[in-house]
CSV table of all heavy atoms in Angstrom, one decimal:
chain,number,residue,atom,x,y,z
A,126,LYS,N,153.7,-64.6,287.7
A,126,LYS,CA,152.6,-64.9,288.5
A,126,LYS,C,153.0,-65.2,290.0
A,126,LYS,O,154.0,-65.9,290.1
A,126,LYS,CB,151.5,-65.9,288.0
A,126,LYS,CG,150.9,-65.5,286.7
A,126,LYS,CD,150.0,-66.8,286.3
A,126,LYS,CE,149.2,-66.5,285.1
A,126,LYS,NZ,148.4,-67.6,284.7
A,127,GLY,N,152.2,-64.9,290.9
A,127,GLY,CA,152.6,-65.3,292.3
A,127,GLY,C,152.5,-66.9,292.5
A,127,GLY,O,153.1,-67.4,293.5
A,128,THR,N,151.7,-67.5,291.7
A,128,THR,CA,151.7,-69.0,291.9
A,128,THR,C,152.9,-69.8,291.2
A,128,THR,O,152.9,-70.9,291.6
A,128,THR,CB,150.3,-69.5,291.2
A,128,THR,OG1,150.5,-69.1,289.7
A,128,THR,CG2,149.1,-69.0,291.7
A,129,GLY,N,153.8,-68.9,290.5
A,129,GLY,CA,154.8,-69.7,290.0
A,129,GLY,C,154.7,-70.3,288.7
A,129,GLY,O,155.7,-70.9,288.1
A,130,ASP,N,153.5,-70.3,288.0
A,130,ASP,CA,153.3,-71.0,286.8
A,130,ASP,C,153.2,-70.1,285.7
A,130,ASP,O,152.2,-69.8,285.0
A,130,ASP,CB,152.0,-71.8,286.9
A,130,ASP,CG,150.8,-71.0,287.3
A,130,ASP,OD1,151.0,-69.8,287.8
A,130,ASP,OD2,149.7,-71.4,287.1
A,131,GLY,N,154.3,-69.5,285.3
A,131,GLY,CA,154.5,-68.6,284.3
A,131,GLY,C,154.2,-67.0,284.5
A,131,GLY,O,154.1,-66.7,285.7
A,132,ASN,N,154.0,-66.4,283.4
A,132,ASN,CA,153.7,-65.0,283.6
A,132,ASN,C,152.2,-64.7,283.3
A,132,ASN,O,151.5,-65.5,282.7
A,132,ASN,CB,154.5,-64.2,282.6
A,132,ASN,CG,156.0,-64.2,282.9
A,132,ASN,OD1,156.4,-64.7,283.9
A,132,ASN,ND2,156.9,-63.7,282.0
A,133,TRP,N,151.7,-63.5,283.8
A,133,TRP,CA,150.4,-62.9,283.4
A,133,TRP,C,150.3,-62.7,282.0
A,133,TRP,O,151.2,-62.3,281.3
A,133,TRP,CB,150.0,-61.7,284.3
A,133,TRP,CG,149.9,-62.0,285.7
A,133,TRP,CD1,151.0,-61.9,286.7
A,133,TRP,CD2,148.8,-62.1,286.4
A,133,TRP,NE1,150.4,-62.2,287.8
A,133,TRP,CE2,149.1,-62.3,287.7
A,133,TRP,CE3,147.4,-62.3,285.9
A,133,TRP,CZ2,148.1,-62.5,288.7
A,133,TRP,CZ3,146.4,-62.6,287.0
A,133,TRP,CH2,146.8,-62.7,288.4
A,134,GLU,N,149.0,-63.0,281.5
A,134,GLU,CA,148.7,-62.7,280.1
A,134,GLU,C,147.8,-61.4,280.0
A,134,GLU,O,146.8,-61.3,280.7
A,134,GLU,CB,148.1,-63.9,279.4
A,134,GLU,CG,149.0,-65.0,279.1
A,134,GLU,CD,148.4,-66.2,278.3
A,134,GLU,OE1,147.2,-66.2,278.3
A,134,GLU,OE2,149.1,-67.0,277.7
A,135,TYR,N,148.0,-60.6,278.9
A,135,TYR,CA,147.2,-59.5,278.7
A,135,TYR,C,145.9,-60.0,277.8
A,135,TYR,O,146.0,-60.9,277.1
A,135,TYR,CB,147.9,-58.4,277.9
A,135,TYR,CG,149.0,-57.8,278.7
A,135,TYR,CD1,150.3,-57.8,278.2
A,135,TYR,CD2,148.7,-57.2,280.0
A,135,TYR,CE1,151.4,-57.3,279.0
A,135,TYR,CE2,149.7,-56.5,280.7
A,135,TYR,CZ,151.2,-56.6,280.2
A,135,TYR,OH,152.0,-55.9,280.9
A,136,PRO,N,144.8,-59.2,278.1
A,136,PRO,CA,143.7,-59.5,277.3
A,136,PRO,C,143.9,-59.3,275.8
A,136,PRO,O,144.7,-58.4,275.4
A,136,PRO,CB,142.6,-58.8,277.9
A,136,PRO,CG,143.2,-57.6,278.4
A,136,PRO,CD,144.6,-58.1,278.9
A,137,SER,N,143.2,-60.1,275.0
A,137,SER,CA,143.2,-59.8,273.5
A,137,SER,C,142.4,-58.5,273.1
A,137,SER,O,141.5,-58.1,274.0
A,137,SER,CB,142.6,-61.0,272.7
A,137,SER,OG,141.3,-61.1,273.0
A,138,PRO,N,142.5,-58.0,272.1
A,138,PRO,CA,141.5,-56.8,271.7
A,138,PRO,C,140.1,-57.1,271.8
A,138,PRO,O,139.3,-56.3,272.2
A,138,PRO,CB,142.1,-56.4,270.3
A,138,PRO,CG,143.4,-56.7,270.3
A,138,PRO,CD,143.7,-58.1,271.1
A,139,GLN,N,139.8,-58.3,271.4
A,139,GLN,CA,138.4,-58.8,271.3
A,139,GLN,C,137.9,-58.9,272.9
A,139,GLN,O,136.8,-58.5,273.1
A,139,GLN,CB,138.2,-60.1,270.7
A,139,GLN,CG,136.7,-60.5,270.6
A,139,GLN,CD,135.9,-59.6,269.7
A,139,GLN,OE1,136.1,-59.4,268.6
A,139,GLN,NE2,134.9,-59.0,270.4
A,140,GLN,N,138.6,-59.5,273.7
A,140,GLN,CA,138.3,-59.6,275.1
A,140,GLN,C,138.1,-58.2,275.7
A,140,GLN,O,137.3,-57.9,276.5
A,140,GLN,CB,139.3,-60.5,275.8
A,140,GLN,CG,139.2,-61.9,275.6
A,140,GLN,CD,140.3,-62.7,276.3
A,140,GLN,OE1,141.5,-62.4,276.4
A,140,GLN,NE2,139.9,-63.8,277.0
A,141,MET,N,139.1,-57.3,275.4
A,141,MET,CA,139.0,-55.9,275.9
A,141,MET,C,137.8,-55.2,275.4
A,141,MET,O,137.1,-54.6,276.4
A,141,MET,CB,140.2,-55.1,275.4
A,141,MET,CG,140.2,-53.6,275.8
A,141,MET,SD,140.5,-53.3,277.6
A,141,MET,CE,142.2,-53.6,277.6
A,142,TYR,N,137.3,-55.4,274.2
A,142,TYR,CA,136.1,-54.8,273.7
A,142,TYR,C,134.9,-55.4,274.5
A,142,TYR,O,133.9,-54.6,274.9
A,142,TYR,CB,136.1,-54.9,272.3
A,142,TYR,CG,134.8,-54.3,271.6
A,142,TYR,CD1,134.7,-52.9,271.7
A,142,TYR,CD2,133.8,-55.1,270.9
A,142,TYR,CE1,133.5,-52.3,271.2
A,142,TYR,CE2,132.8,-54.4,270.4
A,142,TYR,CZ,132.7,-53.1,270.4
A,142,TYR,OH,131.6,-52.4,269.9
A,143,ASN,N,134.9,-56.8,274.6
A,143,ASN,CA,133.7,-57.3,275.3
A,143,ASN,C,133.6,-56.9,276.8
A,143,ASN,O,132.5,-56.7,277.3
A,143,ASN,CB,133.8,-58.9,275.3
A,143,ASN,CG,133.7,-59.4,273.8
A,143,ASN,OD1,133.1,-58.7,273.0
A,143,ASN,ND2,134.1,-60.6,273.5
A,144,ALA,N,134.9,-56.7,277.5
A,144,ALA,CA,134.9,-56.2,278.7
A,144,ALA,C,134.3,-55.0,278.9
A,144,ALA,O,133.6,-54.5,279.9
A,144,ALA,CB,136.3,-56.4,279.4
A,145,LEU,N,134.6,-54.0,278.0
A,145,LEU,CA,134.2,-52.6,278.0
A,145,LEU,C,132.7,-52.6,277.9
A,145,LEU,O,132.0,-51.8,278.5
A,145,LEU,CB,134.9,-51.7,276.9
A,145,LEU,CG,136.4,-51.5,277.2
A,145,LEU,CD1,137.0,-50.9,276.0
A,145,LEU,CD2,136.6,-50.6,278.4
A,146,LEU,N,132.3,-53.4,277.0
A,146,LEU,CA,130.7,-53.4,276.7
A,146,LEU,C,130.1,-54.0,278.0
A,146,LEU,O,129.0,-53.5,278.4
A,146,LEU,CB,130.4,-54.3,275.5
A,146,LEU,CG,130.8,-53.9,274.2
A,146,LEU,CD1,130.5,-54.8,273.1
A,146,LEU,CD2,130.2,-52.4,273.9
A,147,ARG,N,130.6,-54.9,278.7
A,147,ARG,CA,130.1,-55.6,279.8
A,147,ARG,C,130.0,-54.6,280.9
A,147,ARG,O,129.1,-54.6,281.8
A,147,ARG,CB,130.9,-56.8,280.2
A,147,ARG,CG,130.2,-57.6,281.2
A,147,ARG,CD,131.0,-59.0,281.3
A,147,ARG,NE,130.3,-59.9,282.2
A,147,ARG,CZ,130.7,-61.2,282.3
A,147,ARG,NH1,131.7,-61.7,281.6
A,147,ARG,NH2,130.0,-62.0,283.1
A,148,LYS,N,131.0,-53.6,281.1
A,148,LYS,CA,131.0,-52.7,282.1
A,148,LYS,C,130.1,-51.4,281.8
A,148,LYS,O,130.1,-50.5,282.6
A,148,LYS,CB,132.5,-52.1,282.2
A,148,LYS,CG,133.3,-53.3,282.9
A,148,LYS,CD,134.7,-52.7,283.2
A,148,LYS,CE,135.6,-53.7,283.9
A,148,LYS,NZ,137.0,-53.2,284.2
A,149,GLY,N,129.4,-51.5,280.6
A,149,GLY,CA,128.5,-50.4,280.3
A,149,GLY,C,129.1,-49.3,279.3
A,149,GLY,O,128.4,-48.5,279.0
A,150,TYR,N,130.3,-49.4,278.9
A,150,TYR,CA,130.9,-48.6,277.8
A,150,TYR,C,130.4,-48.9,276.5
A,150,TYR,O,131.3,-49.4,275.6
A,150,TYR,CB,132.4,-48.4,277.9
A,150,TYR,CG,132.9,-48.0,279.4
A,150,TYR,CD1,133.4,-49.0,280.3
A,150,TYR,CD2,132.9,-46.7,279.8
A,150,TYR,CE1,133.8,-48.6,281.5
A,150,TYR,CE2,133.4,-46.2,281.1
A,150,TYR,CZ,133.8,-47.3,281.8
A,150,TYR,OH,134.2,-46.9,283.1
A,151,THR,N,129.2,-48.7,276.1
A,151,THR,CA,128.7,-49.2,274.9
A,151,THR,C,129.0,-48.2,273.7
A,151,THR,O,128.8,-48.6,272.6
A,151,THR,CB,127.2,-49.3,274.9
A,151,THR,OG1,126.6,-48.0,275.4
A,151,THR,CG2,126.8,-50.3,275.9
A,152,ASP,N,129.6,-47.0,274.1
A,152,ASP,CA,130.0,-46.1,272.9
A,152,ASP,C,131.4,-46.2,272.5
A,152,ASP,O,132.0,-45.2,271.9
A,152,ASP,CB,129.7,-44.6,273.5
A,152,ASP,CG,130.5,-44.3,274.7
A,152,ASP,OD1,131.0,-45.2,275.3
A,152,ASP,OD2,130.6,-43.1,275.1
A,153,THR,N,132.2,-47.3,273.0
A,153,THR,CA,133.5,-47.5,272.6
A,153,THR,C,133.7,-47.6,271.1
A,153,THR,O,133.1,-48.5,270.5
A,153,THR,CB,134.1,-48.7,273.3
A,153,THR,OG1,133.9,-48.6,274.8
A,153,THR,CG2,135.6,-49.0,273.1
A,154,ASP,N,134.7,-46.9,270.7
A,154,ASP,CA,135.1,-47.1,269.2
A,154,ASP,C,135.8,-48.3,268.9
A,154,ASP,O,136.8,-48.6,269.4
A,154,ASP,CB,135.9,-45.8,268.8
A,154,ASP,CG,136.2,-45.8,267.2
A,154,ASP,OD1,135.7,-46.8,266.6
A,154,ASP,OD2,137.0,-45.0,266.8
Side-chain angles (χ1 to χ4, degrees):
K126 291 182 179 180
T128 54
D130 54 345
N132 295 352
W133 289 87
E134 287 186 338
Y135 292 121
S137 67
Q139 184 64 62
Q140 286 179 313
M141 175 71 79
Y142 183 62
N143 290 339
L145 291 171
L146 295 180
R147 197 168 183 175
K148 291 182 178 180
Y150 300 101
T151 55
D152 58 344
T153 302
D154 183 5

